[in-house]
Amino acid sequence: MRTALFVLLTAAVSYLIGCANFAIIVCRLLYHKDIRDYGSGNAGMTNVARTFGKCPAVLVTIGDFAKGAIAMLLAHLLAVTVGGYAGFSGFPFYGAYIVAICVMLGHCFPVFYGFRGGKGILVSAGVILILNPWILLALLVIFLAVFFASKIVSLGSITVAAMYPVLTLVFGLVQHSETVLWDTLVALVIGGLVIFFHRANIKRLINGTESSFKKKK
């Protein structure tokens, strides 16, 4: 019973943290405007960069990335102080997975903003930082390689979302992890969410109409 209640507590807290969409917050504080009314209509860093510039985009990047990591770290803290567990080492192994998925859902479907949020790439990066920083480093290298080659943020995001479960499986097998199948399944869910929210970008990539950061001649 205690475990079930604690799982519900961490899930609720993680979701609420995820609901703090920094693209919306930053643009409302600095410009008194809703970023979802401009550009692509997405509450994410790329749309902020195109609409309002680099400085607010940096703030959004830091905020959305940090909240993913903070949700994971706060869950560890709650496990010790409230749950009476020895961190996630004593808590059921799926505790971290629940936190990861719930903070993603909060970001994508924020209750405070009419369930219209972002696409989850930055918050998922913050989550992966805590789950496995080596995988995050590998994904960062892949993202930068794709972005610098194409100048298209969405292509890099979609690529790393697809590679996340693959790298999770490979790392798990190499490390002989006992939870490799669960790790890979959760990576599939997180990567799948990111790809799902990029479905319009995928259509534009196929049609050759996706926006890029290439300098116009």
Side-chain angles (χ1 to χ4, degrees):
M1 184 65 178
R2 186 188 70 165
T3 298
L5 290 174
F6 187 74
V7 167
L8 289 175
L9 172 64
T10 54
V13 171
S14 301
Y15 172 79
L16 291 175
I17 291 174
C19 288
N21 187 292
F22 281 86
I24 297 175
I25 293 171
V26 168
C27 292
R28 283 186 175 176
L29 288 176
L30 296 182
Y31 307 103
H32 308 291
K33 295 179 179 179
D34 190 334
I35 185 60
R36 296 172 296 179
D37 295 332
Y38 298 86
S40 65
N42 178 58
M45 180 276 294
T46 303
N47 196 28
V48 172
R50 290 199 180 101
T51 305
F52 295 112
K54 294 179 181 179
C55 289
V58 170
L59 295 177
V60 173
T61 299
I62 295 171
D64 281 345
F65 176 82
K67 76 180 180 184
I70 288 172
M72 300 294 289
L73 293 174
L74 182 58
H76 280 262
L77 179 62
L78 289 174
V80 176
T81 59
V82 178
Y85 301 97
F88 273 121
S89 61
F91 191 59
F93 73 92
Y94 52 80
Y97 302 149
I98 292 173
V99 171
I101 292 174
C102 285
V103 71
M104 279 284 295
L105 291 175
H107 178 79
C108 298
F109 304 103
V111 66
F112 305 132
Y113 304 112
F115 300 99
R116 290 176 57 206
K119 298 179 180 179
I121 192 68
L122 287 171
V123 67
S124 63
V127 165
I128 298 169
L129 173 66
I130 306 302
L131 288 176
N132 193 321
W134 291 111
I135 290 180
L136 179 63
L137 180 61
L139 292 174
L140 178 61
V141 171
I142 294 172
F143 174 83
L144 291 175
V146 174
F147 173 71
F148 283 120
S150 65
K151 302 299 182 183
I152 302 176
V153 173
S154 63
L155 182 59
S157 300
I158 294 165
T159 302
V160 295
M163 288 300 299
Y164 178 37
V166 175
L167 290 177
T168 299
L169 178 61
V170 171
F171 272 70
L173 292 175
V174 170
Q175 296 172 350
H176 303 289
S177 172
E178 295 180 356
T179 60
V180 60
L181 293 180
W182 283 106
D183 295 340
T184 304
L185 178 61
V186 173
L188 278 169
V189 172
I190 293 175
L193 276 173
V194 172
I195 292 174
F196 173 77
F197 282 102
H198 279 83
R199 59 194 185 280
N201 302 86
I202 294 173
K203 290 181 180 178
R204 290 194 293 269
L205 285 169
I206 293 173
N207 296 330
T209 57
E210 179 68 326
S211 299
S212 73
F213 283 93
K214 292 180 180 178
K215 293 182 180 180
K216 296 181 180 180
K217 295 182 180 180

